Amino acid sequence: MSLNKLLCKIKNPKLRNILTNTPLRARVFFAISILGTLAFVVFNAVAGVLYRSLWYGSLAVYYIFLIAMKVLLVVFAKYVAKKYSDDVDKLIYEQWRIYLINGVLLLVLDLALTASTVQMATMAKPTKTHMIIAIATAAYAFFKIITSIVNAIRNRKTNDVLLQVIRNINLVSATVSMLALTSTMISTFGDFASMRTLLACVSVGVSVAIISLSILMIIKGTANMKSLHGRI
């Protein structure tokens, strides 16, 4: 039995509508993702104040920018769809422009995050955090990793440019959550001095992954814009 047939058997009409209506499902899960990330922003901001930690403050700012990128992506997507509804080539061109801009923004954000990571990994007196911080960070990290993997698999063959941007932003968010989890676990349960090398390796891996993704987005966006330039 197919997944759609199983979903249609759900008795609750509202839940069945959400799960079977693709556009509605996308909006609902988008809203859930935004609210979940916003809660994590508040959590990191509070932790930054309580522990006087630049690292948690930097994470809060980083995730605020990711939220802003997602919201602006939706706003501009609707704007260009309405403005160029009669010109398919121009519409696709503008979508690739949005794709390119998001690649540049992710690259800039990663450079800023890398600076904060270096400060955290090299400071002499790391912040000692509470177990609650570790549990909450772990819960958010696993949530982001699982949802990002599911969305990446589901949209791996999509030709929708804007869905590709959302997928990439979600992957970046999940990758950064792994770094946040690693640093929190070490500062809460481990010996920071002896595990500094591990944190440095994870930090480098995260930075390389995000920078690589950002550069690929820039290259792909530029190439597609050039290929469409002669047709508009």
Side-chain angles (χ1 to χ4, degrees):
M1 183 179 293
S2 66
L3 178 60
N4 287 333
K5 290 183 179 179
L6 286 174
L7 294 177
C8 288
K9 290 182 176 294
I10 296 176
K11 294 182 179 181
N12 188 305
K14 292 183 179 180
L15 179 59
R16 183 173 64 248
N17 187 38
I18 291 174
L19 295 176
T20 57
N21 187 321
T22 301
L24 177 60
R25 183 177 62 212
R27 289 195 293 271
V28 169
F29 283 102
F30 180 82
I32 292 174
S33 175
I34 292 294
L35 291 174
T37 305
L38 186 59
F40 196 60
V41 166
V42 175
F43 173 80
N44 278 286
V46 172
V49 173
L50 290 177
Y51 295 101
R52 298 180 181 179
S53 170
L54 176 62
W55 170 242
Y56 286 111
S58 300
L59 281 178
V61 173
Y62 188 89
Y63 278 105
I64 285 175
F65 275 104
L66 289 184
I67 291 174
M69 287 176 65
K70 279 188 175 183
V71 173
L72 290 175
L73 173 64
V74 172
V75 171
F76 281 109
K78 290 183 177 180
Y79 171 77
V80 298
K82 182 178 180 180
K83 184 175 181 180
Y84 302 108
S85 58
D86 298 328
D87 190 340
V88 176
D89 288 335
K90 183 63 176 178
L91 172 61
I92 297 175
Y93 180 87
E94 291 300 323
Q95 289 178 341
W96 280 114
R97 186 198 296 275
I98 294 174
Y99 186 95
L100 171 63
I101 292 173
N102 276 271
V104 174
L105 290 175
L106 285 177
L107 181 60
V108 173
L109 280 176
D110 181 62
L111 294 176
L113 182 68
T114 300
S116 297
T117 304
V118 170
Q119 186 272 341
M120 173 190 63
T122 57
M123 62 184 177
K125 295 181 178 180
T127 303
K128 188 70 174 178
T129 54
H130 194 274
M131 185 181 296
I132 295 177
I133 302 290
I135 294 173
T137 303
Y140 180 79
F142 286 119
F143 166 75
K144 291 302 297 183
I145 292 168
I146 292 172
T147 55
S148 296
I149 291 174
V150 171
N151 288 330
I153 294 174
R154 180 183 299 169
N155 299 319
R156 65 187 184 280
K157 296 182 179 180
T158 182
N159 292 320
D160 190 313
V161 178
L162 302 177
L163 277 180
Q164 293 180 45
V165 178
I166 293 177
R167 178 194 62 195
N168 291 344
I169 293 176
N170 286 335
L171 287 173
V172 168
S173 179
T175 305
V176 174
S177 71
M178 292 173 61
L179 174 59
L181 177 59
T182 302
S183 64
T184 301
M185 288 298 182
I186 291 175
S187 61
T188 304
F189 303 108
D191 181 1
F192 193 91
S194 62
M195 303 187 76
R196 196 185 297 271
T197 301
L198 172 62
L199 180 58
C201 291
V202 174
S203 302
V204 170
V206 168
S207 295
V208 170
I210 299 177
I211 289 174
S212 299
L213 178 61
S214 303
I215 293 175
L216 287 175
M217 289 180 68
I218 294 171
I219 293 173
K220 186 176 180 179
T222 302
N224 282 282
M225 288 176 66
K226 285 183 178 180
S227 67
L228 289 165
H229 190 268
R231 293 159 49 184
I232 61 176

